[in-house]
Amino acid sequence: MSKLWQIIRHEYIRHVFRRRFLFSLLSLPIAVLVMVGVALMIAGFAADDTPIGYVDPSGVLANPVQLPESTDIFSPTIQFIAFEDRDQAQADLEAGTIQAYFVLPADYPQNKQVELLYLDEPDSSATYQFEDFVRFTLMESADVNPEVIDRLSQGFSYTLESADGSRQMRDDQWYLTFTPFIAGIMFVIVVMTSGGYLLQAVVEEKENRTMEIVITSVSPAQLMTGKIVGNIAVGLTQLVVWLVFAWLGLKVAGNFWPMLQDFSLPPDYIGVMLLVLLPSFVMVAAIMAAIGSTMTQMREAQQISGMFSLPFMIPFYVSSAIMMNPNGTLAMALSYFPLTAPITILMRMSFTVIPAWQIAINVATLIVFAIFAIWFATKAFRLGMLQYGKKLTIKEVLNARVEK
């Protein structure tokens, strides 16, 4: 066990403290921060809280009720100013004091043909805010219960529920639709990055014949298992750091976008995500180790591993079909194919209720393939050590008999 732990520790340290790893670790959070920063700058320049005027010959807005301050930087609260006539409002519009003004008909609200006059068209949120301004003012003048006014000011909320009542999703949980895409992209990046480290380490140690020295003190199974576990730990470190950055980003972004303050994932979704991603992680790491063990040159290994990564992207290419028919033949087939199962299952969970028995079969399939991949990688490594300098095929590895 001590030798296995030393191999795991060595593999982890040799990759985590390299500049290349630190660059890949920080590149995604920095890129996200830059994009968010640009979005905030654009929103800051685009948002216009210049007052808007209104002309009300009907007199229904004689006692106006201003809207509460908004914390949304994309839609700042606008103050509405009353004018006696069009001429006064037009003069202020041309002077730049207001960004636009509304003109209500004399017989409002019987006649709802409201005019909007401007030099530069205001944002659509200005119209929505004016509608709320008129609505709340009319309710206040009609002595509507303050609790009713407060409830209406909060807007509507709805919940989608499956026919059997086993699944619910609120309208403010829109992010669940995008979660599988984000999780899938992060999974592919982390898996392929850590798998690439393992692939490179195995090929390099074969080329410089370091393994021939190491193998004199540890068994091939210990060496391969240690490398796989160590590189999985590297990938999990990268994933945890990204999740921490994401959590901090959501906390900060919640101050600007209130809709992000209640961001949360259902516990069952997180549980299934872990159940399908962890064995997939092990399976891919073992396959990468097997590729490195059967190749003689780094360039060949990288080409094959690049082709191997393509199946992971299939669910993204057919995402529309999975969304439209999450229980269809295509979605079901991709759910049972080990390389496409993790992302497909997460996509299906966002649009339908997956029976527990299906999830159990999918997870069991991934675990079986992960164990098989470890066995195959160990056998390929042993055979590669016996036939140094020769590129091996899958058939040769499966049919070979090597001594433990």
Side-chain angles (χ1 to χ4, degrees), residues 260-278:
L260 295 178
Q261 293 178 354
D262 298 327
F263 179 90
S264 63
L265 293 177
D268 58 338
Y269 193 93
I270 297 176
V272 174
M273 186 184 299
L274 294 175
L275 286 175
V276 298
L277 293 184
L278 288 178

Side-chain angles (χ1 to χ4, degrees), residues 70-341:
S70 171
T71 57
D72 190 346
I73 62 172
F74 288 108
S75 181
T77 302
I78 298 174
Q79 182 182 7
F80 296 98
I81 303 175
F83 290 93
E84 294 293 333
D85 51 43
R86 286 174 175 258
D87 294 337
Q88 184 182 5
Q90 184 66 30
D92 279 27
L93 176 63
E94 295 176 355
T97 307
I98 58 176
Q99 57 175 308
Y101 65 92
F102 292 89
V103 179
L104 279 68
D107 55 348
Y108 187 86
Q110 288 75 21
N111 181 6
K112 296 183 174 61
Q113 299 298 320
V114 180
E115 297 180 71
L116 173 61
L117 295 94
Y118 53 82
L119 298 178
D120 296 316
E121 184 176 4
D123 189 77
S124 59
S125 63
T127 303
Y128 299 142
Q129 289 193 42
F130 183 72
E131 293 174 355
D132 291 338
F133 167 72
V134 174
R135 184 181 301 112
F136 296 145
T137 299
L138 292 177
M139 287 191 294
E140 183 73 21
S141 61
D143 294 328
V144 177
N145 190 319
E147 294 183 359
V148 175
I149 297 177
D150 181 66
R151 177 63 187 87
L152 291 174
S153 67
Q154 298 174 12
F156 63 88
S157 177
Y158 59 87
T159 300
L160 299 176
E161 184 174 340
S162 60
D164 59 359
S166 60
R167 182 174 175 80
Q168 293 181 345
M169 186 173 70
R170 302 190 311 269
D171 61 316
D172 59 349
Q173 291 181 312
W174 50 269
Y175 50 80
L176 293 179
T177 304
F178 303 97
T179 300
F181 293 92
I182 299 174
I185 292 173
M186 292 180 63
F187 171 74
V188 171
I189 294 176
V190 171
V191 166
M192 300 313 297
T193 301
S194 58
Y197 293 150
L198 180 57
L199 176 70
Q200 182 177 0
V202 173
V203 175
E204 286 181 352
E205 290 177 4
K206 280 187 62 179
E207 289 180 344
N208 57 29
R209 313 195 77 162
T210 303
M211 283 188 178
E212 295 184 10
I213 300 175
V214 177
I215 207 67
T216 59
S217 57
V218 297
S219 67
Q222 285 180 318
L223 180 60
M224 190 56 61
T225 302
K227 285 183 173 296
I228 292 173
V229 175
N231 280 273
I232 289 176
V234 173
L236 292 178
T237 300
Q238 190 173 18
L239 184 60
V240 169
V241 171
W242 286 355
L243 291 177
V244 170
F245 271 102
W247 180 79
L248 293 175
L250 287 173
K251 290 295 183 181
V252 175
N255 297 323
F256 302 97
W257 293 283
M259 60 183 177
L260 295 178
Q261 293 178 354
D262 298 327
F263 179 90
S264 63
L265 293 177
D268 58 338
Y269 193 93
I270 297 176
V272 174
M273 186 184 299
L274 294 175
L275 286 175
V276 298
L277 293 184
L278 288 178
S280 301
F281 207 162
V282 176
M283 177 183 64
V284 174
I287 293 176
M288 288 295 183
I291 293 175
S293 300
T294 56
M295 296 293 106
T296 57
Q297 294 182 357
M298 189 62 196
R299 181 178 300 178
E300 294 178 346
Q302 289 176 339
Q303 291 175 349
I304 294 179
S305 63
M307 295 175 59
F308 169 76
S309 64
L310 293 178
F312 285 102
M313 308 304 295
I314 293 178
F316 295 112
Y317 298 144
V318 297
S319 58
S320 59
I322 296 176
M323 292 179 186
M324 296 301 295
N325 192 4
N327 291 319
T329 303
L330 177 62
M332 294 291 290
L334 294 178
S335 296
Y336 289 103
F337 183 60
L339 298 182
T340 58

